[in-house]
mmCIF file of all heavy atoms in Angstrom:
data_model
loop_
_atom_site.group_PDB
_atom_site.id
_atom_site.type_symbol
_atom_site.label_atom_id
_atom_site.label_comp_id
_atom_site.label_asym_id
_atom_site.label_seq_id
_atom_site.Cartn_x
_atom_site.Cartn_y
_atom_site.Cartn_z
ATOM 1 N N ASN I 238 27.341 10.723 20.484
ATOM 2 C CA ASN I 238 26.531 9.786 21.418
ATOM 3 C C ASN I 238 25.432 9.168 20.566
ATOM 4 O O ASN I 238 24.581 9.812 19.934
ATOM 5 C CB ASN I 238 25.962 10.595 22.547
ATOM 6 C CG ASN I 238 25.427 9.677 23.592
ATOM 7 O OD1 ASN I 238 24.953 8.580 23.364
ATOM 8 N ND2 ASN I 238 25.458 10.161 24.822
ATOM 9 N N ALA I 239 25.427 7.806 20.545
ATOM 10 C CA ALA I 239 24.473 7.114 19.725
ATOM 11 C C ALA I 239 23.068 7.363 20.211
ATOM 12 O O ALA I 239 22.073 7.118 19.542
ATOM 13 C CB ALA I 239 24.757 5.626 19.658
ATOM 14 N N PHE I 240 22.847 7.751 21.550
ATOM 15 C CA PHE I 240 21.609 7.945 22.172
ATOM 16 C C PHE I 240 21.061 9.261 22.088
ATOM 17 O O PHE I 240 20.015 9.670 22.652
ATOM 18 C CB PHE I 240 21.575 7.410 23.687
ATOM 19 C CG PHE I 240 21.966 5.966 23.783
ATOM 20 C CD1 PHE I 240 23.187 5.536 24.026
ATOM 21 C CD2 PHE I 240 20.959 5.004 23.598
ATOM 22 C CE1 PHE I 240 23.521 4.230 24.158
ATOM 23 C CE2 PHE I 240 21.332 3.650 23.778
ATOM 24 C CZ PHE I 240 22.656 3.280 23.952
ATOM 25 N N VAL I 241 21.817 10.154 21.402
ATOM 26 C CA VAL I 241 21.395 11.511 21.187
ATOM 27 C C VAL I 241 20.955 11.755 19.709
ATOM 28 O O VAL I 241 21.828 11.308 18.811
ATOM 29 C CB VAL I 241 22.517 12.482 21.581
ATOM 30 C CG1 VAL I 241 22.130 13.929 21.278
ATOM 31 C CG2 VAL I 241 22.836 12.381 23.112
ATOM 32 N N ILE I 242 19.771 12.209 19.558
ATOM 33 C CA ILE I 242 19.363 12.434 18.156
ATOM 34 C C ILE I 242 19.895 13.774 17.626
ATOM 35 O O ILE I 242 19.586 14.827 18.211
ATOM 36 C CB ILE I 242 17.848 12.467 18.088
ATOM 37 C CG1 ILE I 242 17.265 11.100 18.486
ATOM 38 C CG2 ILE I 242 17.329 12.727 16.677
ATOM 39 C CD1 ILE I 242 15.678 11.084 18.554
ATOM 40 N N ASP I 243 20.769 13.716 16.586
ATOM 41 C CA ASP I 243 21.367 14.854 16.003
ATOM 42 C C ASP I 243 20.733 15.026 14.606
ATOM 43 O O ASP I 243 21.133 14.371 13.661
ATOM 44 C CB ASP I 243 22.876 14.731 16.020
ATOM 45 C CG ASP I 243 23.530 15.994 15.503
ATOM 46 O OD1 ASP I 243 22.833 17.045 15.134
ATOM 47 O OD2 ASP I 243 24.787 16.057 15.490
ATOM 48 N N ARG I 244 19.767 15.911 14.486
ATOM 49 C CA ARG I 244 19.112 16.116 13.234
ATOM 50 C C ARG I 244 19.886 16.937 12.247
ATOM 51 O O ARG I 244 19.496 16.905 11.032
ATOM 52 C CB ARG I 244 17.695 16.736 13.472
ATOM 53 C CG ARG I 244 16.823 15.892 14.363
ATOM 54 C CD ARG I 244 15.442 16.550 14.394
ATOM 55 N NE ARG I 244 14.587 15.761 15.385
ATOM 56 C CZ ARG I 244 13.917 14.646 15.059
ATOM 57 N NH1 ARG I 244 14.090 14.119 13.885
ATOM 58 N NH2 ARG I 244 13.176 14.014 15.972
ATOM 59 N N ALA I 245 20.986 17.566 12.705
ATOM 60 C CA ALA I 245 21.745 18.418 11.797
ATOM 61 C C ALA I 245 22.823 17.590 11.120
ATOM 62 O O ALA I 245 22.954 17.538 9.906
ATOM 63 C CB ALA I 245 22.335 19.606 12.562
ATOM 64 N N ASN I 246 23.620 16.908 11.880
ATOM 65 C CA ASN I 246 24.720 16.027 11.415
ATOM 66 C C ASN I 246 24.246 14.627 11.494
ATOM 67 O O ASN I 246 24.318 14.020 12.529
ATOM 68 C CB ASN I 246 26.003 16.288 12.176
ATOM 69 C CG ASN I 246 26.516 17.743 12.061
ATOM 70 O OD1 ASN I 246 27.034 18.121 11.042
ATOM 71 N ND2 ASN I 246 26.325 18.513 13.135
ATOM 72 N N THR I 247 23.781 14.107 10.332
ATOM 73 C CA THR I 247 23.125 12.781 10.317
ATOM 74 C C THR I 247 23.820 11.987 9.265
ATOM 75 O O THR I 247 24.094 12.386 8.122
ATOM 76 C CB THR I 247 21.632 12.915 9.974
ATOM 77 O OG1 THR I 247 21.040 13.839 10.924
ATOM 78 C CG2 THR I 247 20.981 11.639 10.092
ATOM 79 N N ARG I 248 24.085 10.724 9.710
ATOM 80 C CA ARG I 248 24.530 9.671 8.800
ATOM 81 C C ARG I 248 23.881 8.399 9.079
ATOM 82 O O ARG I 248 23.973 7.897 10.203
ATOM 83 C CB ARG I 248 26.072 9.505 8.934
ATOM 84 C CG ARG I 248 26.870 10.721 8.298
ATOM 85 C CD ARG I 248 28.322 10.605 8.697
ATOM 86 N NE ARG I 248 28.532 10.672 10.069
ATOM 87 C CZ ARG I 248 28.598 11.865 10.743
ATOM 88 N NH1 ARG I 248 28.423 13.004 10.236
ATOM 89 N NH2 ARG I 248 28.809 11.878 12.123
ATOM 90 N N SER I 249 23.101 7.862 8.114
ATOM 91 C CA SER I 249 22.330 6.647 8.372
ATOM 92 C C SER I 249 22.192 5.773 7.158
ATOM 93 O O SER I 249 22.148 6.321 5.980
ATOM 94 C CB SER I 249 20.931 6.941 8.920
ATOM 95 O OG SER I 249 20.129 7.573 7.879
ATOM 96 N N LEU I 250 22.108 4.488 7.301
ATOM 97 C CA LEU I 250 21.951 3.521 6.242
ATOM 98 C C LEU I 250 21.174 2.401 6.753
ATOM 99 O O LEU I 250 21.651 1.731 7.704
ATOM 100 C CB LEU I 250 23.329 3.067 5.648
ATOM 101 C CG LEU I 250 23.195 1.978 4.549
ATOM 102 C CD1 LEU I 250 22.492 2.513 3.285
ATOM 103 C CD2 LEU I 250 24.569 1.471 4.207
ATOM 104 N N THR I 251 19.941 2.166 6.208
ATOM 105 C CA THR I 251 19.077 1.141 6.719
ATOM 106 C C THR I 251 18.471 0.308 5.606
ATOM 107 O O THR I 251 18.424 0.756 4.368
ATOM 108 C CB THR I 251 17.889 1.735 7.542
ATOM 109 O OG1 THR I 251 17.152 2.643 6.635
ATOM 110 C CG2 THR I 251 18.357 2.533 8.676
ATOM 111 N N ALA I 252 18.272 -0.913 5.872
ATOM 112 C CA ALA I 252 17.634 -1.779 4.871
ATOM 113 C C ALA I 252 16.777 -2.852 5.654
ATOM 114 O O ALA I 252 17.172 -3.269 6.700
ATOM 115 C CB ALA I 252 18.642 -2.471 3.984
ATOM 116 N N GLY I 253 15.647 -3.306 4.988
ATOM 117 C CA GLY I 253 14.867 -4.296 5.677
ATOM 118 C C GLY I 253 13.712 -4.590 4.883
ATOM 119 O O GLY I 253 13.327 -4.005 3.897
ATOM 120 N N LEU I 254 12.957 -5.716 5.345
ATOM 121 C CA LEU I 254 11.790 -6.181 4.692
ATOM 122 C C LEU I 254 10.678 -5.276 5.165
ATOM 123 O O LEU I 254 10.530 -4.964 6.317
ATOM 124 C CB LEU I 254 11.429 -7.611 4.979
ATOM 125 C CG LEU I 254 12.548 -8.582 4.442
ATOM 126 C CD1 LEU I 254 12.108 -9.983 4.936
ATOM 127 C CD2 LEU I 254 12.532 -8.534 2.949
ATOM 128 N N VAL I 255 9.798 -4.789 4.175
ATOM 129 C CA VAL I 255 8.656 -4.001 4.547
ATOM 130 C C VAL I 255 7.336 -4.554 3.839
ATOM 131 O O VAL I 255 7.463 -5.395 2.861
ATOM 132 C CB VAL I 255 8.911 -2.560 3.972
ATOM 133 C CG1 VAL I 255 10.041 -1.907 4.752
ATOM 134 C CG2 VAL I 255 9.034 -2.482 2.546
ATOM 135 N N ALA I 256 6.205 -4.224 4.283
ATOM 136 C CA ALA I 256 4.936 -4.648 3.831
ATOM 137 C C ALA I 256 4.073 -3.393 3.721
ATOM 138 O O ALA I 256 3.999 -2.631 4.663
ATOM 139 C CB ALA I 256 4.340 -5.722 4.584
ATOM 140 N N LYS I 257 3.425 -3.244 2.640
ATOM 141 C CA LYS I 257 2.449 -2.165 2.361
ATOM 142 C C LYS I 257 1.098 -2.755 2.081
ATOM 143 O O LYS I 257 0.944 -3.418 1.103
ATOM 144 C CB LYS I 257 2.914 -1.196 1.286
ATOM 145 C CG LYS I 257 1.987 -0.039 1.013
ATOM 146 C CD LYS I 257 2.500 0.816 -0.042
ATOM 147 C CE LYS I 257 1.608 2.038 -0.344
ATOM 148 N NZ LYS I 257 2.006 2.884 -1.448
ATOM 149 N N TRP I 258 0.165 -2.447 2.883
ATOM 150 C CA TRP I 258 -1.138 -3.132 2.751
ATOM 151 C C TRP I 258 -2.263 -2.128 2.870
ATOM 152 O O TRP I 258 -2.460 -1.413 3.896
ATOM 153 C CB TRP I 258 -1.310 -4.222 3.870
ATOM 154 C CG TRP I 258 -2.433 -5.167 3.585
ATOM 155 C CD1 TRP I 258 -3.343 -5.200 2.564
ATOM 156 C CD2 TRP I 258 -2.806 -6.342 4.377
ATOM 157 N NE1 TRP I 258 -4.162 -6.230 2.657
ATOM 158 C CE2 TRP I 258 -3.907 -6.941 3.798
ATOM 159 C CE3 TRP I 258 -2.309 -6.910 5.595
ATOM 160 C CZ2 TRP I 258 -4.471 -8.081 4.270
ATOM 161 C CZ3 TRP I 258 -2.873 -7.998 6.060
ATOM 162 C CH2 TRP I 258 -4.025 -8.602 5.461
ATOM 163 N N SER I 259 -3.024 -1.972 1.841
ATOM 164 C CA SER I 259 -4.253 -1.068 1.906
ATOM 165 C C SER I 259 -5.391 -1.764 2.564
ATOM 166 O O SER I 259 -5.656 -2.954 2.171
ATOM 167 C CB SER I 259 -4.598 -0.571 0.464
ATOM 168 O OG SER I 259 -5.791 0.070 0.472
ATOM 169 N N LEU I 260 -5.910 -1.193 3.535
ATOM 170 C CA LEU I 260 -7.084 -1.773 4.254
ATOM 171 C C LEU I 260 -8.398 -1.339 3.590
ATOM 172 O O LEU I 260 -9.427 -1.579 4.282
ATOM 173 C CB LEU I 260 -6.983 -1.462 5.758
ATOM 174 C CG LEU I 260 -5.765 -1.947 6.443
ATOM 175 C CD1 LEU I 260 -5.804 -1.570 7.919
ATOM 176 C CD2 LEU I 260 -5.671 -3.450 6.339
ATOM 177 N N ASP I 261 -8.353 -0.781 2.444
ATOM 178 C CA ASP I 261 -9.693 -0.440 1.824
ATOM 179 C C ASP I 261 -10.244 -1.655 1.151
ATOM 180 O O ASP I 261 -10.459 -1.757 -0.113
ATOM 181 C CB ASP I 261 -9.377 0.631 0.781
ATOM 182 C CG ASP I 261 -10.680 1.162 0.111
ATOM 183 O OD1 ASP I 261 -11.761 0.944 0.726
ATOM 184 O OD2 ASP I 261 -10.572 1.733 -1.015
ATOM 185 N N LEU I 262 -10.452 -2.742 1.945
ATOM 186 C CA LEU I 262 -10.916 -4.006 1.393
ATOM 187 C C LEU I 262 -12.330 -3.892 0.867
ATOM 188 O O LEU I 262 -12.776 -4.539 -0.078
ATOM 189 C CB LEU I 262 -10.800 -5.099 2.500
ATOM 190 C CG LEU I 262 -9.378 -5.293 2.981
ATOM 191 C CD1 LEU I 262 -9.346 -6.354 4.048
ATOM 192 C CD2 LEU I 262 -8.392 -5.586 1.828
ATOM 193 N N TRP I 263 -13.138 -3.117 1.609
ATOM 194 C CA TRP I 263 -14.556 -2.948 1.202
ATOM 195 C C TRP I 263 -14.514 -2.265 -0.231
ATOM 196 O O TRP I 263 -15.323 -2.775 -1.108
ATOM 197 C CB TRP I 263 -15.246 -2.109 2.181
ATOM 198 C CG TRP I 263 -16.811 -2.242 2.116
ATOM 199 C CD1 TRP I 263 -17.557 -2.834 1.084
ATOM 200 C CD2 TRP I 263 -17.764 -1.671 2.999
ATOM 201 N NE1 TRP I 263 -18.863 -2.693 1.338
ATOM 202 C CE2 TRP I 263 -19.054 -1.977 2.495
ATOM 203 C CE3 TRP I 263 -17.638 -0.909 4.196
ATOM 204 C CZ2 TRP I 263 -20.185 -1.577 3.130
ATOM 205 C CZ3 TRP I 263 -18.800 -0.495 4.802
ATOM 206 C CH2 TRP I 263 -20.089 -0.821 4.292
ATOM 207 N N GLY I 264 -13.906 -1.211 -0.342
ATOM 208 C CA GLY I 264 -13.949 -0.543 -1.620
ATOM 209 C C GLY I 264 -13.255 -1.429 -2.764
ATOM 210 O O GLY I 264 -13.710 -1.365 -3.887
ATOM 211 N N ASN I 265 -12.267 -2.189 -2.387
ATOM 212 C CA ASN I 265 -11.620 -3.080 -3.397
ATOM 213 C C ASN I 265 -12.625 -4.207 -3.786
ATOM 214 O O ASN I 265 -12.504 -4.601 -4.967
ATOM 215 C CB ASN I 265 -10.352 -3.746 -2.771
ATOM 216 C CG ASN I 265 -9.548 -4.414 -3.865
ATOM 217 O OD1 ASN I 265 -8.856 -3.692 -4.585
ATOM 218 N ND2 ASN I 265 -9.541 -5.754 -3.876
ATOM 219 N N SER I 266 -13.516 -4.578 -2.977
ATOM 220 C CA SER I 266 -14.521 -5.497 -3.452
ATOM 221 C C SER I 266 -15.381 -5.023 -4.512
ATOM 222 O O SER I 266 -15.701 -5.746 -5.472
ATOM 223 C CB SER I 266 -15.455 -5.966 -2.232
ATOM 224 O OG SER I 266 -16.178 -4.825 -1.772
ATOM 225 N N TYR I 267 -15.690 -3.696 -4.512
ATOM 226 C CA TYR I 267 -16.455 -3.125 -5.605
ATOM 227 C C TYR I 267 -15.594 -3.032 -6.890
ATOM 228 O O TYR I 267 -16.076 -3.142 -7.992
ATOM 229 C CB TYR I 267 -17.009 -1.750 -5.147
ATOM 230 C CG TYR I 267 -18.091 -1.868 -4.096
ATOM 231 C CD1 TYR I 267 -17.826 -1.397 -2.785
ATOM 232 C CD2 TYR I 267 -19.282 -2.411 -4.400
ATOM 233 C CE1 TYR I 267 -18.818 -1.501 -1.830
ATOM 234 C CE2 TYR I 267 -20.324 -2.565 -3.437
ATOM 235 C CZ TYR I 267 -20.070 -2.114 -2.120
ATOM 236 O OH TYR I 267 -20.989 -2.234 -1.177
ATOM 237 N N ARG I 268 -14.319 -2.666 -6.647
ATOM 238 C CA ARG I 268 -13.433 -2.571 -7.867
ATOM 239 C C ARG I 268 -13.312 -3.959 -8.489
ATOM 240 O O ARG I 268 -13.292 -4.084 -9.734
ATOM 241 C CB ARG I 268 -12.041 -2.090 -7.404
ATOM 242 C CG ARG I 268 -12.001 -0.576 -7.041
ATOM 243 C CD ARG I 268 -10.550 -0.036 -6.846
ATOM 244 N NE ARG I 268 -9.989 -0.604 -5.618
ATOM 245 C CZ ARG I 268 -10.092 0.061 -4.441
ATOM 246 N NH1 ARG I 268 -10.795 1.201 -4.322
ATOM 247 N NH2 ARG I 268 -9.490 -0.505 -3.378
ATOM 248 N N ALA I 269 -13.203 -5.014 -7.797
ATOM 249 C CA ALA I 269 -13.134 -6.374 -8.308
ATOM 250 C C ALA I 269 -14.494 -6.707 -9.012
ATOM 251 O O ALA I 269 -14.471 -7.302 -10.073
ATOM 252 C CB ALA I 269 -12.845 -7.321 -7.184
ATOM 253 N N LYS I 270 -15.549 -6.351 -8.487
ATOM 254 C CA LYS I 270 -16.924 -6.542 -9.008
ATOM 255 C C LYS I 270 -17.017 -5.831 -10.393
ATOM 256 O O LYS I 270 -17.494 -6.333 -11.381
ATOM 257 C CB LYS I 270 -18.005 -6.148 -8.115
ATOM 258 C CG LYS I 270 -19.435 -6.416 -8.586
ATOM 259 C CD LYS I 270 -20.445 -6.004 -7.522
ATOM 260 C CE LYS I 270 -21.846 -6.292 -8.010
ATOM 261 N NZ LYS I 270 -22.860 -5.916 -7.035
ATOM 262 N N ARG I 271 -16.565 -4.594 -10.405
ATOM 263 C CA ARG I 271 -16.610 -3.801 -11.606
ATOM 264 C C ARG I 271 -15.730 -4.336 -12.710
ATOM 265 O O ARG I 271 -16.174 -4.542 -13.854
ATOM 266 C CB ARG I 271 -16.190 -2.350 -11.294
ATOM 267 C CG ARG I 271 -16.255 -1.426 -12.495
ATOM 268 C CD ARG I 271 -15.759 -0.028 -12.195
ATOM 269 N NE ARG I 271 -14.353 -0.134 -11.732
ATOM 270 C CZ ARG I 271 -13.689 0.936 -11.190
ATOM 271 N NH1 ARG I 271 -14.313 2.042 -10.946
ATOM 272 N NH2 ARG I 271 -12.375 0.783 -10.818
ATOM 273 N N SER I 272 -14.495 -4.807 -12.341
ATOM 274 C CA SER I 272 -13.628 -5.350 -13.375
ATOM 275 C C SER I 272 -14.126 -6.644 -13.878
ATOM 276 O O SER I 272 -14.036 -6.937 -15.114
ATOM 277 C CB SER I 272 -12.200 -5.473 -12.773
ATOM 278 O OG SER I 272 -12.224 -6.398 -11.665
ATOM 279 N N ASN I 273 -14.773 -7.494 -13.082
ATOM 280 C CA ASN I 273 -15.353 -8.785 -13.585
ATOM 281 C C ASN I 273 -16.494 -8.435 -14.508
ATOM 282 O O ASN I 273 -16.647 -9.138 -15.447
ATOM 283 C CB ASN I 273 -15.777 -9.612 -12.318
ATOM 284 C CG ASN I 273 -14.635 -10.191 -11.555
ATOM 285 O OD1 ASN I 273 -13.569 -10.324 -12.052
ATOM 286 N ND2 ASN I 273 -14.840 -10.410 -10.272
ATOM 287 N N ALA I 274 -17.340 -7.494 -14.121
ATOM 288 C CA ALA I 274 -18.471 -7.111 -15.037
ATOM 289 C C ALA I 274 -17.959 -6.661 -16.327
ATOM 290 O O ALA I 274 -18.533 -6.870 -17.437
ATOM 291 C CB ALA I 274 -19.375 -6.099 -14.324
ATOM 292 N N LEU I 275 -16.930 -5.767 -16.366
ATOM 293 C CA LEU I 275 -16.364 -5.289 -17.682
ATOM 294 C C LEU I 275 -15.834 -6.433 -18.445
ATOM 295 O O LEU I 275 -15.894 -6.332 -19.722
ATOM 296 C CB LEU I 275 -15.315 -4.209 -17.304
ATOM 297 C CG LEU I 275 -15.876 -2.948 -16.728
ATOM 298 C CD1 LEU I 275 -14.548 -2.061 -16.360
ATOM 299 C CD2 LEU I 275 -16.664 -2.147 -17.716
ATOM 300 N N PHE I 276 -15.180 -7.425 -17.844
ATOM 301 C CA PHE I 276 -14.676 -8.555 -18.610
ATOM 302 C C PHE I 276 -15.807 -9.332 -19.252
ATOM 303 O O PHE I 276 -15.777 -9.686 -20.456
ATOM 304 C CB PHE I 276 -13.917 -9.441 -17.636
ATOM 305 C CG PHE I 276 -13.434 -10.731 -18.301
ATOM 306 C CD1 PHE I 276 -12.303 -10.807 -19.122
ATOM 307 C CD2 PHE I 276 -14.205 -11.929 -18.088
ATOM 308 C CE1 PHE I 276 -11.978 -11.913 -19.698
ATOM 309 C CE2 PHE I 276 -13.811 -13.119 -18.665
ATOM 310 C CZ PHE I 276 -12.698 -13.125 -19.533
ATOM 311 N N GLU I 277 -16.928 -9.552 -18.493
ATOM 312 C CA GLU I 277 -18.067 -10.244 -19.048
ATOM 313 C C GLU I 277 -18.700 -9.418 -20.135
ATOM 314 O O GLU I 277 -19.237 -9.970 -21.168
ATOM 315 C CB GLU I 277 -19.081 -10.649 -17.961
ATOM 316 C CG GLU I 277 -18.573 -11.634 -16.954
ATOM 317 C CD GLU I 277 -19.398 -11.904 -15.809
ATOM 318 O OE1 GLU I 277 -20.494 -11.286 -15.752
ATOM 319 O OE2 GLU I 277 -19.115 -12.757 -14.947
ATOM 320 N N GLN I 278 -18.732 -8.084 -19.962
ATOM 321 C CA GLN I 278 -19.314 -7.235 -21.009
ATOM 322 C C GLN I 278 -18.514 -7.321 -22.258
ATOM 323 O O GLN I 278 -19.095 -7.426 -23.409
ATOM 324 C CB GLN I 278 -19.291 -5.775 -20.501
ATOM 325 C CG GLN I 278 -19.734 -4.764 -21.606
ATOM 326 C CD GLN I 278 -19.411 -3.358 -21.223
ATOM 327 O OE1 GLN I 278 -18.964 -3.036 -20.096
ATOM 328 N NE2 GLN I 278 -19.659 -2.420 -22.008
ATOM 329 N N THR I 279 -17.211 -7.253 -22.246
ATOM 330 C CA THR I 279 -16.316 -7.434 -23.417
ATOM 331 C C THR I 279 -16.569 -8.747 -24.050
ATOM 332 O O THR I 279 -16.560 -8.997 -25.226
ATOM 333 C CB THR I 279 -14.873 -7.135 -23.112
ATOM 334 O OG1 THR I 279 -14.725 -5.920 -22.314
ATOM 335 C CG2 THR I 279 -13.981 -7.171 -24.208
ATOM 336 N N LEU I 280 -16.666 -9.845 -23.241
ATOM 337 C CA LEU I 280 -16.866 -11.116 -23.753
ATOM 338 C C LEU I 280 -18.193 -11.206 -24.586
ATOM 339 O O LEU I 280 -18.175 -11.843 -25.715
ATOM 340 C CB LEU I 280 -16.875 -12.181 -22.663
ATOM 341 C CG LEU I 280 -16.989 -13.638 -23.003
ATOM 342 C CD1 LEU I 280 -15.756 -14.049 -23.860
ATOM 343 C CD2 LEU I 280 -17.078 -14.539 -21.746
ATOM 344 N N ALA I 281 -19.228 -10.627 -24.062
ATOM 345 C CA ALA I 281 -20.416 -10.634 -24.829
ATOM 346 C C ALA I 281 -20.381 -9.848 -26.048
ATOM 347 O O ALA I 281 -20.968 -10.127 -27.112
ATOM 348 C CB ALA I 281 -21.617 -10.011 -23.946
#
């Protein structure tokens, strides 16, 4: 029965588009700031 979940005898094949998005945008702003500062440091 397709409407019964059988966790023992299972056969499945799935494919689809996915998106993975980290919402640590605040922390990423500091990472970007640090990387830009390191670039300018190396340039100097």
Side-chain angles (χ1 to χ4, degrees):
N238 191 331
F240 296 98
V241 175
I242 299 176
D243 187 353
R244 299 185 183 280
N246 297 283
T247 304
R248 290 170 294 277
S249 66
L250 177 64
T251 58
L254 296 176
V255 296
K257 181 180 179 182
W258 194 359
S259 173
L260 296 181
D261 184 20
L262 302 180
W263 195 355
N265 194 74
S266 66
Y267 291 112
R268 288 190 288 273
K270 183 178 180 180
R271 180 183 62 191
S272 60
N273 290 332
L275 290 174
F276 175 79
E277 293 175 358
Q278 174 193 357
T279 306
L280 185 62

